[in-house]
Amino acid sequence: MQQCLRRDLPYSPHITLARNASFPLLETAFEEARDEFGAELDDLLRSVSLLSVERNGKITRLREISLDTS
């Protein structure tokens, strides 16, 4: 397994909730995921990022949603 470890690339732990071109549908998916899994997560989520992934692989952060973690 060590041969698959890429230390030359940065890694940010993440969970993909949805892939959709419609921003309102993405917001709905986030709300549904929070309602469904909010109490079951075994870690602390501080924010959710909405990203746009273009066909050429370019990723753009559209919005950062801070979560109340107090």
Side-chain angles (χ1 to χ4, degrees):
M1 195 60 141
Q2 284 293 327
Q3 69 273 18
C4 298
L5 183 60
R6 296 283 310 265
R7 295 188 186 275
D8 59 317
L9 300 174
Y11 176 72
S12 180
H14 66 281
I15 300 170
T16 301
L17 294 179
R19 293 183 73 148
N20 195 299
S22 167
F23 192 75
L25 289 176
L26 287 173
E27 287 182 317
T28 300
F30 168 71
E31 293 295 328
E32 290 174 2
R34 186 178 63 189
D35 292 344
E36 181 71 25
F37 301 110
E40 294 181 29
L41 293 176
D42 194 23
D43 207 341
L44 178 64
L45 295 177
R46 292 185 175 91
S47 66
V48 172
S49 300
L50 298 180
L51 307 174
S52 170
V53 182
E54 297 180 24
R55 291 187 187 275
N56 66 3
K58 180 182 176 189
I59 299 173
T60 304
R61 186 181 315 257
L62 300 176
R63 185 171 168 196
E64 185 82 14
I65 302 168
S66 180
L67 304 175
D68 181 11
T69 57
S70 54

